[in-house]
Amino acid sequence: MSVLPLLIAQHGGTASRAQILEITTPMGLRDALAAGEVMRHRRGVYGLPLDEQGAIAVRTGAVLSHRSAALHHGLPVLHAPEPPEAVVSRARSITVPDELRLRFRTLGPGDVEGPATTPLRTVVDCARDLPLPEALAVADSALRSGLVTPRELTRATLPRTGRAAARRVLDLASAEAVNPFESGLRALAVEADDRGWVAQVPITLRDGRTLHADVGDPVTRIALEADSHEFHKKREAVRTDCWRGNEMTLAGWVVLRFAWEHVMFNPDWVREVIAWVVQQRGGVSRGSSRSA
């Protein structure tokens, strides 16, 4: 098996052609497609195979929803759902198969697009039902892709059940987050200490240049860097990372670095570290914070 499935998993379940061609050739991509290791979601966007998920949902009379719908639309997620997620009309009386995580919901005529819920309905469902890191990753991906606009999120009709949780996710959503890894890290920071964590926060260096930390709080001046695995990381990139972290520190910021595995598999530790550092920086008042 090629390394493409691992690459796609680390990019949240989908990857662009350009990202794929950083580690393989066009022929390698064609071979992976022919072998069924990956599939083409839309022009220039590839992901893990979803055909069987869609077939199971169709046979059940349901439609793909939540993270399964997000992946169907080519939107990266933090964790791929297992089993696949789907919704079915409350009016239906069906036996729930083991192969699906099925929810019974009211579906309007504008809520379904092909075998899945629409991108906007998908974001709202995730915001309502999923933990904050999972839901924010989908909402950020939808904004970043342009499939959903900020105006649509602001005007979205939210269900009575889960409305507060859904509104929190939609208010936090940002197209600035580069990938689900960064979205998940920002969500864990919010859960650790609910303050103004910003995606791609600008930091002014000593010489006047500006860097953007993956996640940061301009008040406490804490920067969070999401260190994903790079398949062909060059020595120059290592030097740049060292320079970047040191310059942010000299600019007065505390820099915390988290690996992809930390956010994905050890979130309690990530929250603990962030909360502890925020507490240590607690003497920084909002009124005294200078512009970053």
Side-chain angles (χ1 to χ4, degrees):
M1 179 178 291
S2 71
V3 298
L4 288 187
L6 176 59
L7 169 73
I8 290 172
Q10 292 199 356
H11 280 280
T14 67
S16 69
R17 179 180 176 85
Q19 289 168 331
I20 289 174
L21 293 184
E22 288 179 359
I23 67 164
T24 190
T25 62
M27 181 174 293
L29 173 57
R30 288 196 296 270
D31 290 344
L33 288 168
E37 294 179 1
V38 300
M39 67 173 292
R40 182 177 181 270
H41 287 326
R42 63 176 188 271
R43 182 179 177 84
V45 178
Y46 299 84
L48 302 178
L50 295 173
D51 287 344
E52 183 58 25
Q53 293 187 0
I56 293 170
V58 169
R59 289 198 301 268
T60 308
V63 295
L64 294 173
S65 68
H66 296 77
R67 288 167 296 182
S68 293
L71 289 170
H72 169 78
H73 292 299
L75 299 177
V77 301
L78 192 60
H79 290 93
E82 185 59 43
E85 296 169 313
V87 294
V88 68
S89 171
R90 295 182 188 277
R92 294 289 303 268
S93 177
I94 64 173
T95 300
V96 179
D98 294 336
E99 298 93 340
L100 289 179
R101 168 68 169 91
L102 196 60
R103 294 176 173 90
F104 289 84
R105 294 284 163 81
T106 300
L107 291 172
D111 290 333
V112 179
E113 184 178 295
T117 52
T118 63
L120 179 60
R121 174 62 190 258
T122 298
V123 170
V124 171
D125 283 344
C126 289
R128 170 188 181 180
D129 295 318
L130 300 183
L132 182 60
E134 302 287 348
L136 188 60
V138 173
D140 287 354
S141 294
L143 286 178
R144 188 170 58 249
S145 71
L147 293 181
V148 172
T149 67
R151 179 179 174 83
E152 286 176 317
L153 293 190
T154 300
R155 298 167 61 92
T157 301
L158 303 180
R160 254 179 262 168
T161 303
R163 177 175 296 174
R167 177 44 58 194
R168 184 189 192 198
V169 172
L170 302 191
D171 288 344
L172 287 170
S174 170
E176 297 300 317
V178 173
N179 53 47
F181 178 19
E182 290 186 13
S183 299
L185 179 56
R186 184 158 54 96
L188 294 178
V190 169
E191 291 178 334
D193 184 85
D194 194 359
R195 60 178 65 238
W197 297 101
V198 179
Q200 294 297 311
V201 64
I203 297 178
T204 302
L205 304 184
R206 298 173 297 162
D207 60 5
R209 284 184 291 176
T210 299
L211 290 178
H212 289 81
D214 296 331
V215 180
D217 172 30
V219 175
T220 56
R221 301 172 75 79
I222 298 173
L224 311 178
E225 291 281 84
D227 287 340
S228 58
H229 175 70
E230 295 184 33
F231 289 85
H232 296 300
K233 192 165 187 175
K234 297 181 179 179
R235 192 66 194 165
E236 180 182 355
V238 175
R239 290 198 301 269
T240 299
D241 285 348
C242 292
W243 172 84
R244 173 185 171 89
N246 290 338
E247 284 294 331
M248 287 192 288
T249 299
L250 291 173
W253 288 68
V254 172
V255 182
L256 302 176
R257 307 184 75 92
F258 296 99
W260 179 78
E261 290 83 357
H262 293 144
V263 171
M264 298 293 286
F265 307 119
N266 199 1
D268 289 343
W269 178 76
V270 174
R271 284 188 288 260
E272 179 184 351
V273 170
I274 294 172
W276 189 89
V277 174
V278 168
Q279 185 179 23
Q280 299 306 304
R281 300 279 283 183
V284 181
S285 67
R286 292 188 181 275
S288 65
S289 174
R290 59 189 176 90
S291 173

